[in-house]
Each structure stands twice: as structure tokens, then as C-alpha cells.
Amino acid sequence: MTVAASTPIELIQGVYSTLDERVAIGRHRLARALTLAEKVLVNHLDDPENAGLERGVSYVDLRPDRVAMQDATAQMAWLQFMTAGLDEVQVPTTTHCDHLIEARDDGKRDLAAAVDGNREVYDFLASVCARYGAGFWKPGSGIIHQVVLEQYAFPGGMMIGTDSHTPNAGGAGMLAVGVGGADAVDVMTGFPWNVRWPKLIGVHLTGELNGWAAPKDVILKVADILTVRGGTGAIVEYFGPGARSLSATGKATICNMGAEIGATTSLFAYDDATARYLKSTGREAVSDAADVVAHHLRADDDVEANPGKYFDQVIKIDLSTLSPHINGPHTPDLARPVAELGAEAEREGWPLPVSAGLIGSCTNSSYEDITRAASIARDAVAKGLTAKAPLLVTPGSEQIRATIERDGLLADFEALGAQVLANACGPCIGQWDRQDLDDGTPNSIVTSYNRNFPKRNDGYATTHAFVTSPETVIALTIAGRLDFDPAKDTLLNDAGEEVRLTVGAGEELPVAGFDPGEETFQAPPTDGSNVKVTVSPSSDRLQLLTPFPAWDGGDLTDLTVLVKAQGKCTTDHISMAGPWLKYRGHLENISGNVYMGAVNAFTGEVGTGWDATDGEIRSYPEIARRYHEAGVDWVAIGDENMGEGSSREHAAMEPRFRGAKVVIARSFARIHETNLKKQGILPLTFADPADYDLIGPKDRISVVGLANLAPNLPVTVVVTAPDGDETRIVGEHTYSADQIEWFKAGSALNLIRERSGN
Ligand code: MIC
Ligand code: SF4
């Protein structure tokens, strides 16, 4: 398999060639017209005639067209792939180096420092890609989702990516889903990808954005309506005249942040804007091919006419009246119009001064985003204004960086004193060596990113992060305050005059075309079998994996409660990023952060608990290590939406490695639940959410009757108090018959190994 810097037109034509027949099968089987998501799904079903299509119930096998992985998750995925004993990836796969570049000085210097500091990891990723026939995007190439949108995404395609914001490609009409590494390995080894047939949420957009409102505001509003759990198990499909008024990259912003509502993915139809984007990014052949099957690359007509018949839930948003929003702090669904933030911040005691503004991330770093923000910067400078807080800009890709440099846009930001960082995730994932403030100083930052969990950007618990559009970020950074409404407030310039910022004017696409910038793609050799992939046994960054033991066939008894997490327990709480990213290829070392951010439900303390081996209070990672060494099996208890956020399977592998057998929560985020299953941990939900309250710190937990583990059959959980008192509660699970095999084998990977004879 040759993996190029873009999706070959033959692959796309292959996907389009089956649309007529598959869409007909879908219409016949469902006995009605189809939404776009249904068409794409049916066209990628392993067995379209027989797959169960009951929403939120059936599990189906799908055949994605591509796999993309970013460096922080790819290491573990590749380490797993390597144990499967195959010679080549079975589906076009790419690896993107974007997460490990720390922001400190400027793009050039930070990139050089990253190349130096991460050499071992980059060499590993480059060689493993060459060895197994995958494409390698070098550090500096840009953020995975922006690169995928520019190079690989195509309308009606389907991909999975080891990053929760993979749905970004939905902006170009691709059904793109974020998964854990083990899911990616299934597909890379030639197995289908198994997922629940999703529910469908329709978002009907009418009107047109105006004033300070931006595409970002659509998803900030949707997050307000659906909350961080509202999209779980569902695909969000956007349609209507408002959808057709947005640019492809604006749509990508909306799809990207669908991860924040837990959606499986989000999707827009192929339309003129998609075609313009494809042409502008050098893919005229793709838009020509899409034009031929355009009727299959959008929902059937009746869907827009009668959405209630097709979707489990329909949300209506009139873009003409949508006001600019800003969400946060600490959770992406805490929304309000920008105009109302000041009063709320004052009430809540959030610091009103803005200490930094950050533009970029995979969510908002398109040419259009940058031109809009830059026009505001230009306007501010022309009016004698300076930014009251530091401004940091991360271009989304090398292509964007080179283009905005050529077009003088970087200079616009620099005139405002901005720091232009590397084409990478940087401060979005805690890779921010923040110099201007120390931890412990309460402060507020505004970002055009998607996540704002505590400590996410600078590692400081005292930073309040608000997410909003790039234009609002720049306006609030210039004003230096949260209580500034650019639509009506004025600012004092250096001559003491009151001036008002002009609404940003963006350009959808560069008139002079994109400048590809430096070559950053490395194609694999035709025959990679001689490429050496080395993992030094003494490395502290990389460690070969030892298979987890298979289930012994018995019940899971007498488990100690390592942690009972209260409230939000995102993957950032379970396996923190930032400084820990460097251990993403070393399971033992990264386990040093397990549950470090979890709030102990018994004490309210963060990251510490009771060690059953000697009754001492210790950090969770320390207790987990001691349990591992002592052979103590344990359980973790979670609240609602356990494992929200990232796709990182480390949040499942670390507990597994340290001896977790079961995680019982009030509810799970989709990817985390799958990751737990894949790694051989039993994820259960309390049939009665109030049972969460029954669990005490010194209780012992048993899960019994596992020999009869079967789909749709709850299990019995016995909670034994220290005085011997037993309470029996019901634990529900979502295993399909196939997935139970993962549990039995000890992990999904063990099963692949068994099947491939390795
Ligand atoms: C994120 O935005 O949280 C990340 C970092 O991109 C993660 C992936 C990771 O943890 O490596 C994600 O969203 O999946
Ligand atoms: Fe990178 Fe942030 Fe996007 Fe995650 S959300 S891929 S960390 S830019």
C-alpha cells in the first residue's frame, strides 16, 4: 500500500462507485429516505444487507477508508500494532507530529527544541511508519485535523483517528470519528471497526451569520443546549439553508467541537463551499468526482422538509439572530453571550482582566479564521490601540503558516505584539511553558480552542479558560477584559480617544491560492521490510508492551476501591497531558499520573486516597503502583460522563496495567468506555445512579456471575462494607457478543494476536 500526501482519487472513486447500490439498500432496509450520515454509514458497512440498524442498540462493523493518528496517541497505537505481527497496514494510515511541541519562544525555536527533545519518539514514529507503509507528517507540518482537512478529507468518505477531534473532517463532508488506539489497530490490521449504530441529532440552520457572530458560536450554542453529555452515542447532522451559507472550514470548526458534547461525530453535506475548498486546496479532481454523486452526498430531500421523521432530536438555530458566545470556565458547555460574561464573571468572582489571548488549535486556525482575526488586529493598530494582554497565535498547518505569512497576516498580529508559535497544538494541550504568571495566581484567559478543563492550557489550577471565536479572542485581548462587548463598547486609544473595533472581515480562501510552505511529508518506501524500528530497553519514553493476562474465567472478587471520583473526571483527570505527554509511549512511566486529577469523593481532595495495604494516605498513582506490586486487584468508581474528553487510551491502559479490573460509573463517555473494554477492563454503570452513594472508601467490591456475561444482561455487584455487611446492586454494561471476547482474551489486542497467530 502506498500512502501519499493526499487521498488518491482512485480510492475516492471506489467509495463513490458503491453509493448507488448501497444507498438503495439503506432506503430499502429502513423503508424511508436517508439522512446523509446514514448514507455514508451504509456505504461503509461490512455487511450492508444484514447489519443490525437499530439506533443506539445494534453494533455494526464498518470499513473506514483511512486512519489518522497524532504523535501523542500514535506511539501506543503503533506499539500495539507491532505486536500483531503484520508486515503492512491494511488501510491507508498517517501519523502526524503535533502534540509534543512546547510553546515557549516562537515557532522556529520551539520546533527546533521539540525536534531535539523528542528525537527518540519522532525517530520511532518515522521508522515505524516507514516499516509498515504509513505516511509520516513531520513536526512542523501542523495539527492533525487541519492537515487531514487540507489533504485527506473527502465528502462521503469515512475515517477514524486517534484523537477526539477527528470529526473536524465533517466540515468537508467526511464522516470522521475519534477513537482509541486499539480501535485504530483493528482497522490497521484489516479488521472492521465496531461501533454502535448511532442515534441521530439534526441541527437545522437557517439565516446567515452577521456582526461578531462566527461559526464557532453555532457549536458554543449547541454545547449550551446539549451539554457535555448530550451528544453521546449520536451523530450530529447539520442541514438547512444556514448550513449552506457557511464555509467548509467554518463547518469544520462546528464539527470539531462536537467532541465537546460527546457526539460520535458531526457532519455537513457536500455543497458549493466544500467544492470551493477542495479546489483551493488542490483537489479539483475530488470535487469533480463528488459533483457526479452530489445527490448522495447530502440528505434526501424529505429530511430537510420533515426532519422530525428522521432525527431523534432536532435543534433549530437561526444564524441571523445568533449572538457571539463565550463558554467556560472549566467546562465547554457553560455558555452565555459575550455581552453577558462581564456581569456573570463579577458575580462568580472570576478575574475580569484577561491575562492572555490564544488563537489557533485544530478548531480555529483556518485561513478564514486568521484573516478575520488579523483584520481586527489591523483595525486596532490603525486606531492607535495596543493589546492589553499577550496574544499567542498557532497556525494550524505549515500550509496555513506559509500562506498567512505571504499574505502579510502574521505581520498584522506581530504589529499587535503577538507571539507566533509553531504549527502545533501547543498551549491547547498544556504544552505552554508560561512565563508571565506563576501557578496560584487567579487569572482568566480567552482561547479559540475547544476544551477548557482546569489546568488544560498552562497547567495552573487557578487559570480560568474561556473558549470563543478567534474574533472575540482578539477583541477581548485588545480590551484586556472579560467585560468587554466588542459589539457595543468602546476603548481608549493612545491619543485618549474612544474608538470602537470594526467587525472582522474574513476571506474564505486565499485569492492567490495556498502556499504549501516547507515539505513536511515523508512517504513510506515501497518495501519497508528492511526498516529497523528500535525501542531501547533503557528508554524512559518508549517501552514495548507485554500483553495483559487473559480473563481466568472466574468472578472478580474482593476488589479494593482505589478511587471514587466525584464530579467531572475527564481523561485529563485520569491521565493528565502537558508534562506527561512525554511518556505517552511508555506505559509504566505514564502510569505515574493515573487518576492524579480525580477528586476523591470521600475527602474532596484532588489525587489522593486511602491505601488499603497500610492505611496511609497517598497519591493515587503511588497507591496504584503499590497495589500493582502487591498484586491487589482494584476498582475505580466514577460519576457522570466518566472519561469525558480525549480519546487517549492511556486513561484505560494505565488502570489496566496497575491492576484495575472494573470501573463502575454513573455514565461513561463513548470513547473511554470503548477503551476500557478494549483493554480488558469491565466498564459497568450503576443501574440505579443513587447506588454510587453506597460505595465507601474501605468497601470491597465483587462482580459475580461473570461466566454468564452476555449482551443486555446486567451483572450483580456485591459491595461488602468493612463490618462485613453486604449490599447487592445491579451493574449494567453495553457489551456486544463480540466485545465479550475482548474481555475474555484480556484485551482486544490479544484477540487480534490470537487470530493472526502471533
Ligand atoms: C485533546 O484535545 O485532548 C487531545 C490531546 O488532542 C486528545 C488526544 C490525546 O490525549 O492525545 C484528544 O482529544 O483525543
Ligand atoms: Fe491538538 Fe488541541 Fe486539537 Fe487536541 S484539541 S488536537 S490538543 S489542537
Side-chain angles (χ1 to χ4, degrees):
M1 174 159 319
T2 51
V3 176
S6 62
T7 301
I9 189 68
E10 297 74 29
L11 188 159
I12 298 170
Q13 274 158 347
V15 172
Y16 291 171
S17 70
T18 51
L19 271 169
D20 268 342
E21 184 200 331
R22 297 291 189 99
V23 168
I25 295 175
R27 288 196 191 117
H28 176 74
R29 289 199 55 200
L30 294 170
R32 56 165 171 77
L34 299 182
T35 72
L36 172 61
E38 288 169 333
K39 292 182 186 181
V40 184
L41 287 168
V42 170
N43 196 32
H44 288 84
L45 276 174
D46 194 41
D47 182 0
E49 298 276 9
N50 301 303
L53 302 181
E54 202 182 331
R55 284 190 194 170
V57 176
S58 319
Y59 277 95
V60 294
D61 281 340
L62 291 157
R63 294 282 177 183
D65 305 312
R66 305 199 63 89
V67 175
M69 303 189 283
Q70 44 86 346
D71 50 3
T73 48
Q75 298 169 59
M76 210 44 102
W78 278 117
L79 287 165
Q80 293 178 77
F81 178 86
M82 283 165 65
T83 67
L86 292 188
D87 225 27
E88 226 193 4
V89 288
Q90 305 296 301
V91 167
T93 300
T94 50
T95 298
H96 303 255
C97 295
D98 54 0
H99 278 61
L100 302 178
I101 302 170
E102 191 178 44
R104 189 191 152 94
D105 299 316
D106 58 50
K108 270 213 173 74
R109 277 186 285 174
D110 294 348
L111 178 59
V115 168
D116 204 36
N118 299 314
R119 191 173 306 278
E120 185 186 3
V121 170
Y122 292 148
D123 284 351
F124 167 72
L125 291 173
S127 59
V128 87
C129 285
R131 168 68 187 83
Y132 297 109
F136 178 67
W137 288 85
K138 297 177 198 164
S141 55
I143 307 171
I144 178 169
H145 311 302
Q146 184 66 30
V147 175
V148 165
L149 191 69
E150 289 171 356
Q151 312 286 345
Y152 294 115
F154 65 94
M158 177 177 175
M159 65 178 284
I160 56 170
T162 59
D163 190 281
S164 65
H165 293 104
T166 304
N168 191 67
M174 186 152 197
L175 197 138
V177 185
V179 296
D183 275 26
V185 171
D186 277 351
V187 176
M188 289 154 69
T189 51
F191 287 96
W193 176 59
N194 181 265
V195 73
R196 242 191 189 162
W197 189 254
K199 290 184 264 172
L200 292 176
I201 298 175
V203 182
H204 191 178
L205 299 179
T206 56
E208 247 179 86
L209 292 169
N210 57 68
W212 284 84
K216 183 71 162 275
D217 298 307
V218 175
I219 186 62
L220 295 177
K221 183 72 199 163
V222 170
D224 180 30
I225 297 168
L226 287 176
T227 79
V228 288
R229 292 173 54 203
T232 308
I235 291 184
V236 183
E237 184 168 325
Y238 291 84
F239 61 95
R244 295 186 282 275
S245 75
L246 299 169
S247 65
T249 51
K251 294 173 192 171
T253 295
I254 297 170
C255 292
N256 175 298
M257 225 188 126
E260 272 53 68
I261 53 167
T264 301
T265 192
S266 301
L267 192 61
F268 279 87
Y270 174 68
D271 61 17
D272 293 348
T274 336
R276 286 196 298 275
Y277 183 69
L278 288 169
K279 285 183 187 138
S280 171
T281 48
R283 292 173 291 170
E284 185 139 16
V286 180
S287 70
D288 287 347
D291 284 338
V292 179
V293 291
H295 55 295
H296 288 321
L297 302 177
R298 56 174 180 261
D300 287 336
D301 290 345
D302 193 46
V303 174
E304 191 163 323
N306 296 295
K309 266 172 54 188
Y310 298 91
F311 296 104
D312 298 282
Q313 183 180 357
V314 179
I315 295 169
K316 271 193 134 189
I317 296 178
D318 177 3
L319 300 182
S320 308
T321 56
L322 182 67
S323 50
H325 274 62
I326 183 161
N327 293 15
H330 308 324
T331 183
D333 56 354
L334 185 59
R336 84 288 290 162
V338 172
E340 291 167 21
L341 176 61
E344 191 175 337
E346 220 159 320
R347 257 196 333 271
E348 298 292 334
W350 303 326
L352 283 175
V354 169
S355 67
L358 299 102
I359 291 179
S361 93
C362 57
T363 328
N364 274 119
S365 51
S366 65
Y367 188 77
E368 187 176 43
D369 288 331
I370 300 287
T371 46
R372 261 204 231 126
S375 81
I376 299 168
R378 247 186 339 266
D379 177 57
V381 169
K383 287 177 176 157
L385 292 166
T386 43
K388 295 280 184 315
L391 178 67
L392 289 82
V393 180
T394 39
S397 67
E398 168 60 8
Q399 175 159 285
I400 292 285
R401 188 209 58 77
T403 308
I404 62 179
E405 180 171 46
R406 179 200 65 195
D407 294 352
L409 304 164
L410 282 183
D412 291 332
F413 291 125
E414 280 159 351
L416 208 60
Q419 197 181 353
V420 179
L421 302 169
N423 316 321
C425 301
C428 181
I429 189 55
Q431 293 279 36
W432 185 13
D433 185 3
R434 195 169 181 184
Q435 307 284 322
D436 61 321
L437 263 178
D438 288 332
D439 196 2
T441 319
N443 74 102
S444 295
I445 62 173
V446 285
T447 82
S448 75
Y449 305 167
N450 43 33
R451 295 211 163 119
N452 53 3
F453 306 138
K455 296 195 185 181
R456 166 104 184 162
N457 304 116
D458 53 9
Y460 301 169
T462 42
T463 294
H464 299 64
F466 295 88
V467 293
T468 184
S469 68
E471 36 272 71
T472 301
V473 167
I474 199 154
L476 267 50
T477 310
I478 292 166
R481 293 186 66 82
L482 290 183
D483 56 355
F484 174 72
D485 177 4
K488 63 174 208 317
D489 294 340
T490 54
L491 293 166
L492 273 193
N493 70 5
D494 50 13
E497 301 150 352
E498 283 200 15
V499 294
R500 197 184 292 272
L501 290 173
T502 306
V503 173
E507 278 168 52
E508 182 185 357
L509 295 160
V511 181
F514 280 103
D515 177 344
E518 278 177 39
E519 175 69 55
T520 51
F521 177 73
Q522 182 179 300
T526 331
D527 176 8
S529 55
N530 291 325
V531 177
K532 281 247 155 338
V533 182
T534 42
V535 173
S536 156
S538 61
S539 168
D540 72 338
R541 304 274 313 252
L542 296 166
Q543 182 184 44
L544 292 174
L545 293 170
T546 314
F548 294 131
W551 176 51
D552 64 9
D555 284 340
L556 301 171
T557 53
D558 209 27
L559 307 174
T560 303
V561 178
L562 175 92
V563 50
K564 176 173 169 180
Q566 184 180 29
K568 241 191 204 324
C569 188
T570 71
T571 48
D572 280 1
H573 294 78
I574 305 171
S575 174
M576 196 191 171
W580 290 90
L581 283 174
K582 63 173 176 290
Y583 297 126
R584 283 291 186 87
H586 197 295
L587 184 53
E588 186 171 350
N589 285 350
I590 198 156
S591 297
N593 72 4
V594 71
Y595 294 113
M596 213 170 84
V599 178
N600 182 331
F602 307 117
T603 63
E605 301 278 320
V606 175
T608 56
W610 177 78
D611 184 338
T613 60
D614 63 358
E616 292 291 311
I617 302 299
R618 293 198 172 84
S619 75
Y620 288 133
E622 184 61 14
I623 305 174
R625 187 183 58 77
R626 289 167 56 89
Y627 285 179
H628 186 194
E629 283 167 7
V632 175
D633 292 341
W634 51 273
V635 55
I637 309 291
D639 210 324
E640 295 286 7
N641 212 21
M642 176 83 165
E644 166 187 345
S646 153
S647 66
R648 65 190 75 142
E649 64 194 330
H650 304 76
M653 289 180 93
E654 295 173 32
R656 175 72 164 115
F657 175 66
R658 288 303 193 203
K661 298 286 176 213
V662 185
V663 177
I664 317 177
R666 281 183 159 140
S667 61
F668 287 100
R670 172 187 61 90
I671 308 180
H672 185 57
E673 185 185 29
T674 308
N675 285 343
L676 290 169
K677 286 181 183 171
K678 288 235 143 170
Q679 300 300 339
I681 293 183
L682 196 67
L684 299 177
T685 48
F686 294 104
D688 178 358
D691 286 347
Y692 167 90
D693 297 321
L694 290 177
I695 315 284
K698 299 180 183 174
D699 291 353
R700 298 280 163 161
I701 311 281
S702 299
V703 183
V704 298
L706 282 179
N708 301 322
L709 186 63
N712 306 319
L713 200 71
V715 297
T716 301
V717 178
V718 185
V719 183
T720 310
D723 63 5
D725 232 34
E726 277 188 10
T727 315
R728 296 173 96 77
I729 61 175
V730 179
E732 289 178 340
H733 67 82
T734 58
Y735 278 97
S736 65
D738 289 346
Q739 294 174 347
I740 290 174
E741 298 304 313
W742 305 342
F743 174 70
K744 290 185 180 162
S747 72
L749 186 61
N750 287 351
L751 206 63
I752 294 183
R753 275 198 212 102
E754 273 171 30
R755 287 182 183 160
S756 59
N758 284 284

Short mmCIF file of all heavy atoms in Angstrom, two decimals, residues 70 72-73 99 163-165 429 451 456 584 646-648, ligand 1:
data_model
loop_
_atom_site.label_atom_id
_atom_site.label_comp_id
_atom_site.label_asym_id
_atom_site.label_seq_id
_atom_site.Cartn_x
_atom_site.Cartn_y
_atom_site.Cartn_z
N GLN A 70 -2.28 11.02 15.79
CA GLN A 70 -1.33 12.07 16.18
C GLN A 70 -0.28 11.48 17.11
O GLN A 70 -0.49 10.43 17.71
CB GLN A 70 -2.06 13.28 16.77
CG GLN A 70 -3.18 13.00 17.76
CD GLN A 70 -2.73 12.83 19.18
OE1 GLN A 70 -1.56 12.67 19.44
NE2 GLN A 70 -3.68 12.88 20.09
N ALA A 72 0.92 11.85 20.05
CA ALA A 72 0.74 11.51 21.47
C ALA A 72 -0.06 10.23 21.66
O ALA A 72 0.08 9.55 22.66
CB ALA A 72 0.07 12.67 22.21
N THR A 73 -0.91 9.91 20.69
CA THR A 73 -1.67 8.65 20.80
C THR A 73 -1.07 7.58 19.89
O THR A 73 -1.24 6.39 20.13
CB THR A 73 -3.15 8.86 20.40
OG1 THR A 73 -3.19 9.59 19.19
CG2 THR A 73 -3.91 9.60 21.48
N HIS A 99 1.49 17.18 18.81
CA HIS A 99 1.17 17.39 20.22
C HIS A 99 2.40 17.65 21.11
O HIS A 99 2.26 18.14 22.22
CB HIS A 99 0.43 16.18 20.79
CG HIS A 99 -1.04 16.17 20.50
ND1 HIS A 99 -1.54 16.13 19.23
CD2 HIS A 99 -2.12 16.18 21.32
CE1 HIS A 99 -2.86 16.12 19.27
NE2 HIS A 99 -3.24 16.15 20.53
N ASP A 163 -7.82 10.60 17.94
CA ASP A 163 -7.92 11.89 18.59
C ASP A 163 -9.39 12.27 18.58
O ASP A 163 -10.08 12.06 17.56
CB ASP A 163 -7.10 12.95 17.84
CG ASP A 163 -7.01 14.22 18.65
OD1 ASP A 163 -7.99 15.00 18.64
OD2 ASP A 163 -5.99 14.44 19.33
N SER A 164 -9.87 12.81 19.67
CA SER A 164 -11.31 13.03 19.78
C SER A 164 -11.83 14.10 18.81
O SER A 164 -13.01 14.14 18.53
CB SER A 164 -11.68 13.41 21.21
OG SER A 164 -11.10 14.63 21.54
N HIS A 165 -10.93 14.95 18.29
CA HIS A 165 -11.40 15.99 17.38
C HIS A 165 -11.32 15.62 15.91
O HIS A 165 -11.48 16.47 15.02
CB HIS A 165 -10.69 17.32 17.68
CG HIS A 165 -11.08 17.84 19.02
ND1 HIS A 165 -10.24 17.77 20.11
CD2 HIS A 165 -12.24 18.37 19.47
CE1 HIS A 165 -10.87 18.23 21.18
NE2 HIS A 165 -12.08 18.61 20.82
N ILE A 429 -2.88 21.94 24.60
CA ILE A 429 -2.77 20.68 25.33
C ILE A 429 -1.72 20.78 26.45
O ILE A 429 -1.02 19.85 26.78
CB ILE A 429 -2.51 19.49 24.37
CG1 ILE A 429 -2.62 18.15 25.09
CG2 ILE A 429 -1.23 19.64 23.59
CD1 ILE A 429 -3.91 17.94 25.82
N ARG A 451 -11.38 22.99 24.38
CA ARG A 451 -11.50 22.46 25.74
C ARG A 451 -10.99 23.48 26.74
O ARG A 451 -10.08 24.23 26.45
CB ARG A 451 -10.67 21.18 25.90
CG ARG A 451 -11.17 20.09 25.05
CD ARG A 451 -10.94 18.73 25.66
NE ARG A 451 -11.83 17.84 24.94
CZ ARG A 451 -11.41 16.80 24.23
NH1 ARG A 451 -10.14 16.47 24.21
NH2 ARG A 451 -12.29 16.07 23.59
N ARG A 456 -5.73 22.69 31.82
CA ARG A 456 -5.56 22.20 30.45
C ARG A 456 -4.49 22.98 29.66
O ARG A 456 -3.76 22.42 28.86
CB ARG A 456 -6.91 22.31 29.74
CG ARG A 456 -6.85 22.18 28.26
CD ARG A 456 -7.34 20.86 27.79
NE ARG A 456 -7.19 20.74 26.37
CZ ARG A 456 -7.22 19.60 25.70
NH1 ARG A 456 -7.40 18.49 26.35
NH2 ARG A 456 -7.06 19.56 24.40
N ARG A 584 3.96 9.17 26.73
CA ARG A 584 2.84 8.50 26.06
C ARG A 584 3.23 7.18 25.40
O ARG A 584 2.37 6.39 25.03
CB ARG A 584 2.23 9.43 25.02
CG ARG A 584 1.34 10.53 25.60
CD ARG A 584 0.09 9.94 26.17
NE ARG A 584 -0.86 10.93 26.61
CZ ARG A 584 -1.76 11.51 25.83
NH1 ARG A 584 -1.83 11.20 24.56
NH2 ARG A 584 -2.59 12.39 26.33
N SER A 646 -10.80 13.47 25.89
CA SER A 646 -9.87 12.95 24.91
C SER A 646 -10.09 11.48 24.56
O SER A 646 -10.74 10.73 25.28
CB SER A 646 -8.47 13.13 25.48
OG SER A 646 -7.59 12.19 24.97
N SER A 647 -9.45 11.07 23.47
CA SER A 647 -9.50 9.67 23.03
C SER A 647 -8.40 8.85 23.68
O SER A 647 -8.31 7.66 23.44
CB SER A 647 -9.30 9.63 21.52
OG SER A 647 -7.99 10.08 21.22
N ARG A 648 -7.54 9.49 24.47
CA ARG A 648 -6.32 8.80 24.93
C ARG A 648 -6.64 7.51 25.67
O ARG A 648 -7.32 7.50 26.68
CB ARG A 648 -5.45 9.75 25.77
CG ARG A 648 -6.04 10.20 27.07
CD ARG A 648 -5.23 11.33 27.70
NE ARG A 648 -5.45 12.58 26.99
CZ ARG A 648 -5.55 13.78 27.57
NH1 ARG A 648 -5.37 13.92 28.86
NH2 ARG A 648 -5.78 14.86 26.85
C1 MIC B 1 -7.09 16.66 23.32
O1 MIC B 1 -7.51 17.61 22.66
O2 MIC B 1 -7.47 16.40 24.48
C2 MIC B 1 -6.08 15.75 22.70
C3 MIC B 1 -4.80 15.94 23.39
O3 MIC B 1 -5.90 16.08 21.35
C4 MIC B 1 -6.59 14.32 22.84
C5 MIC B 1 -5.66 13.29 22.39
C6 MIC B 1 -4.61 12.95 23.37
O4 MIC B 1 -4.82 12.94 24.57
O5 MIC B 1 -3.52 12.60 22.90
C7 MIC B 1 -7.93 14.06 22.17
O6 MIC B 1 -8.70 14.97 22.02
O7 MIC B 1 -8.24 12.91 21.86
#
